[in-house]
């Protein structure tokens, strides 16, 4: 009887702590491990970030914020990018060159008689324009366009690992 009582109490504490942990990570903030070179030199692979989810209720996202969002290309993957523009802002970008252009380059690396194409876009209402800090190695809004604010999962507060590089972002 004593064992059943202890087991019951252990189960109640386990369920309570699991619920508190779930609510904390789902509604307040969590930790994110970065992978990939798209945010270099600001963030590197294997950096651990502290993120928060509360500020979206009292402030809007602003250019310069680094956010974690659901990838618009693969819903099972998260991306870490910087907000460059918000609803109503104009974005002037050089569209990434298609793969065919890579094969038609001359010996010195320049495109065969073509200048880069600059396009002007406006960010629609309730959308943001995301870009990686490493423009040459980032799949971002230049490829898939602006993303809905609803895909943003959290905003990065600071880097906490490695400790020697811990800093607010």
């Amino acid at each position: 009887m004593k064992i059943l009582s202890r087991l019951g109490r252990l189960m109640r504490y386990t369920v309570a702590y699991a619920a508190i942990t779930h609510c904390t990570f789902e509604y307040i903030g969590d930790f994110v491990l970065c992978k990939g070179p798209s945010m270099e030199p600001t963030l590197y692979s294997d950096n651990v970030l502290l993120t928060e989810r509360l500020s979206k209720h009292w402030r809007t996202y602003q250019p310069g914020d680094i956010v974690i969002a659901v990838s618009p290309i693969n819903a099972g993957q998260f991306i870490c990018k910087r907000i460059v523009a918000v609803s109503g802002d104009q974005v002037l970008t050089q569209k990434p060159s298609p793969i065919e252009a890579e094969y038609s380059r001359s010996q010195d690396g320049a495109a065969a008689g073509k200048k880069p194409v600059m396009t002007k876009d406006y960010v629609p209402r309730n959308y943001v324009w995301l870009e990686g800090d490493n423009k040459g190695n980032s799949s971002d809004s230049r490829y898939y366009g602006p993303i809905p604010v609803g895909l943003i999962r959290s905003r990065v507060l600071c880097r906490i690992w490695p400790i020697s590089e811990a800093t607010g972002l």
Side-chain angles (χ1 to χ4, degrees), residues 12-161:
R12 282 194 304 268
Y13 282 126
T14 302
V15 169
Y17 286 130
I20 290 169
T21 302
H22 169 75
C23 289
T24 300
F25 289 154
E26 189 65 29
Y27 300 109
I28 296 173
D30 59 357
F31 303 98
V32 174
L33 176 65
C34 288
K35 288 290 182 190
S38 71
M39 285 300 290
E40 291 178 0
T42 307
L43 300 171
Y44 294 93
S45 279
D46 298 329
N47 282 173
V48 177
L49 310 174
L50 176 63
T51 67
E52 60 86 16
R53 298 181 183 182
L54 293 174
S55 67
K56 68 181 176 185
H57 299 293
W58 67 79
R59 77 183 272 277
T60 58
Y61 293 110
Q62 300 168 1
D65 287 347
I66 298 175
V67 295
I68 307 299
V70 176
S71 171
I73 297 171
N74 178 2
Q77 183 179 4
F78 293 103
I79 57 174
C80 179
K81 305 289 182 198
R82 186 179 303 275
I83 294 177
V84 174
V86 294
S87 298
D89 288 351
Q90 178 181 344
V91 181
L92 185 64
T93 62
Q94 176 183 342
K95 290 291 184 189
S97 59
I99 195 71
E100 298 85 28
E102 295 296 323
Y103 292 109
S104 66
R105 294 193 183 272
S106 63
Q107 288 288 53
D108 63 354
K114 293 188 178 181
K115 292 184 179 179
V117 177
M118 298 300 285
T119 59
K120 184 185 341 181
D121 289 320
Y122 287 93
V123 180
R125 184 176 180 174
N126 294 323
Y127 281 72
V128 293
W129 188 271
L130 301 177
E131 290 186 11
D133 288 354
N134 185 355
K135 303 279 191 248
N137 196 3
S138 177
S139 177
D140 49 34
S141 287
R142 295 172 297 152
Y143 287 93
Y144 44 72
I147 71 161
V149 171
L151 289 182
I152 296 177
R153 183 169 167 88
S154 58
R155 185 174 66 92
V156 175
L157 290 176
C158 63
R159 174 180 29 226
I160 59 173
W161 189 263

